[in-house]
Amino acid sequence: MKIFKPTHKLLTAIVTLFILSFSTNTVAQEKIQMVRLAKIKVDPLQLDKYTIALKEQMTTAVRLEPGVLTYYAVADKTEPSHITILEIYADTTAYKSHIETTHFKKYKETVKDMVKSLELVDVTLIGSANKMDK
C-alpha cells in the first residue's frame, strides 16, 4: 500500500488557496450594503400613474446600474396608496450614484405631485432566503 506524502509545493499551494479564499471572503463581508425602506403615501387618484412611473424607474435602475441590487415594492392591502419599497444597494456610493441618474431624476419629477408623504428608513439586513439562492 502506497502512502501519499504531500510535497512542499502542494502544501504551499493549499495554504495559499486557503488564505486567498479567506481574505477574499473577508473583503466581501467588509463591503457594507446599503438597505433602505421607502414608505410612500400616494394620492389615491394618481396611484395608477405613480405605479407606472415607479416600475419604470425600478426596472431601469436594476438593468443599468450594477450597484442597484434589489427593489421590491409592495402596497398595503387595506390602503393600496401606501407603498413600501425595499431598496438594496451595493454600498452608499452606489446609492449616491443612483440618485444622480437621469432615470431617477425623471421619476422624482414625474411623481412629485403624486406623493403625499415620503419616509426613508435605513435598516440593517439581518437575513434573507430566496428560492434563487439554491
Side-chain angles (χ1 to χ4, degrees):
M1 178 170 165
K2 189 172 184 177
I3 298 176
F4 176 73
K5 291 185 179 180
T7 65
H8 179 69
K9 284 184 180 180
L10 180 59
L11 287 175
T12 302
I14 291 170
V15 169
T16 301
L17 286 173
F18 175 76
I19 291 170
L20 285 174
S21 69
F22 178 75
S23 61
T24 302
N25 192 24
T26 301
V27 170
Q29 289 176 0
E30 288 175 3
K31 189 169 187 169
I32 299 174
Q33 293 179 337
M34 180 181 170
V35 184
R36 171 173 280 175
L37 296 176
K39 298 179 180 185
I40 303 167
K41 291 181 182 174
V42 178
D43 175 359
L45 299 175
Q46 300 186 69
L47 185 57
D48 290 339
K49 284 193 252 179
Y50 174 82
T51 302
I52 291 168
L54 174 64
K55 287 179 181 178
E56 179 183 329
Q57 192 288 129
M58 289 171 39
T59 57
T60 303
V62 170
R63 187 179 74 247
L64 297 180
E65 298 177 66
V68 177
L69 305 179
T70 302
Y71 264 111
Y72 286 102
V74 295
D76 186 303
K77 283 188 175 187
T78 59
E79 291 286 341
S81 62
H82 293 193
I83 310 290
T84 301
I85 303 169
L86 169 65
E87 309 170 27
I88 303 177
Y89 302 91
D91 51 31
T92 55
T93 302
Y95 170 75
K96 289 176 184 174
S97 174
H98 167 68
I99 61 174
E100 293 300 323
T101 61
T102 304
H103 52 269
F104 182 77
K105 289 179 179 180
K106 175 185 174 190
Y107 160 77
K108 290 299 278 187
E109 180 61 29
T110 301
V111 303
K112 70 179 182 191
D113 295 325
M114 300 176 195
V115 173
K116 294 167 68 175
S117 70
L118 168 64
E119 178 186 3
L120 300 175
V121 181
D122 289 330
V123 296
T124 300
L125 183 65
I126 59 171
S128 67
N130 188 318
K131 291 272 188 206
M132 291 185 276
D133 289 342
K134 290 183 188 179

